[in-house]
Amino acid sequence: MQAFANLPISSSKLILEFSCEPWALTAGFSLEKELFDRTVSINLSGAFYATQAAARQMVKQGNGGSIIGMSSISALVGGGLQTHYTPTKAGLLSLMQSCAVALGKYDIRCNALLPGTIRTQLNEEDLANDEKRKYMEGRIPLGRTGIPHDLAGPAVFLASDLSRYVTGAQILVDGGLFVNLQ
């Protein structure tokens, strides 16, 4: 619990790390139970227990706070080869919305960031393929994939008093990808 002592912010960013391909792309009918269970455990159960621990500490401190769940654009769109991943990110978004309702009386705000394609170690192999990278960039109105720093501004906003009347919200950080999916 010391990790949350006197911290008004808990960012529950949980990163999938598999020994197979970074995104472990697989259709639902061929999905291994172990991969599904691991993804749920990391992305949803892990986020739930981290949020619970942070909320308990924030209630104990009595100063309110901000909990930011790291969801994904995948919470809003299906992915035929991500049937294990997209439901967990939708679940995390729903968790933040439910916690916004449950924790509002303690002045604890709960919101979610929904990154689009952000260049990380999880997708570096995919984005190293020029054809795949150009295809992705061509779908993004801002013309590039994101970098982790692109999440900093929205996270700081949600963590600060600038968003003191924002709870249960979601912020897409996707370079406009979602509005261009047609």
Side-chain angles (χ1 to χ4, degrees):
M1 193 54 62
Q2 286 298 338
F4 295 111
N6 296 316
L7 292 178
I9 304 160
S10 166
S11 178
S12 56
K13 178 170 177 137
L14 303 164
I15 300 173
L16 291 169
E17 292 187 39
F18 299 104
S19 57
C20 53
E21 292 182 324
W23 287 98
L25 299 176
T26 183
F29 64 85
S30 64
L31 184 65
E32 297 288 329
K33 180 183 183 327
E34 293 78 23
L35 176 59
F36 181 79
D37 290 348
R38 180 178 170 141
T39 306
V40 170
S41 178
I42 293 170
N43 284 2
L44 193 53
S45 298
F48 173 83
Y49 292 117
T51 298
Q52 183 183 56
R56 285 178 176 163
Q57 182 63 30
M58 289 175 187
V59 169
K60 183 178 169 184
Q61 288 174 207
N63 300 323
S66 175
I67 298 174
I68 304 166
M70 192 64 67
S71 183
S72 169
I73 190 175
S74 296
L76 305 177
V77 295
L81 296 177
Q82 293 183 328
T83 56
H84 60 300
Y85 179 79
T86 57
T88 65
K89 292 304 186 174
L92 183 79
L93 175 57
S94 181
L95 173 65
M96 289 299 104
Q97 292 167 338
S98 295
C99 287
V101 174
L103 299 173
K105 63 186 169 191
Y106 302 105
D107 198 27
I108 298 172
R109 297 173 289 108
C110 301
N111 297 289
L113 290 177
L114 284 68
T117 303
I118 304 294
R119 191 177 285 270
T120 68
Q121 73 275 12
L122 294 176
N123 60 16
E124 67 186 342
E125 187 177 315
D126 250 5
L127 294 175
N129 178 315
D130 283 341
E131 187 176 324
K132 285 184 181 180
R133 183 184 46 73
K134 287 178 184 176
Y135 170 75
M136 283 303 302
E137 291 172 346
R139 296 174 68 196
I140 300 169
L142 291 182
R144 66 174 179 86
T145 57
I147 57 173
H149 185 74
D150 291 326
L151 294 163
V156 168
F157 168 71
L158 290 176
S160 75
D161 283 343
L162 291 172
S163 66
R164 67 181 176 260
Y165 199 62
V166 178
T167 194
Q170 57 192 350
I171 299 178
L172 275 164
V173 186
D174 67 347
L177 176 62
F178 182 75
V179 295
N180 196 39
L181 292 176
Q182 54 184 345

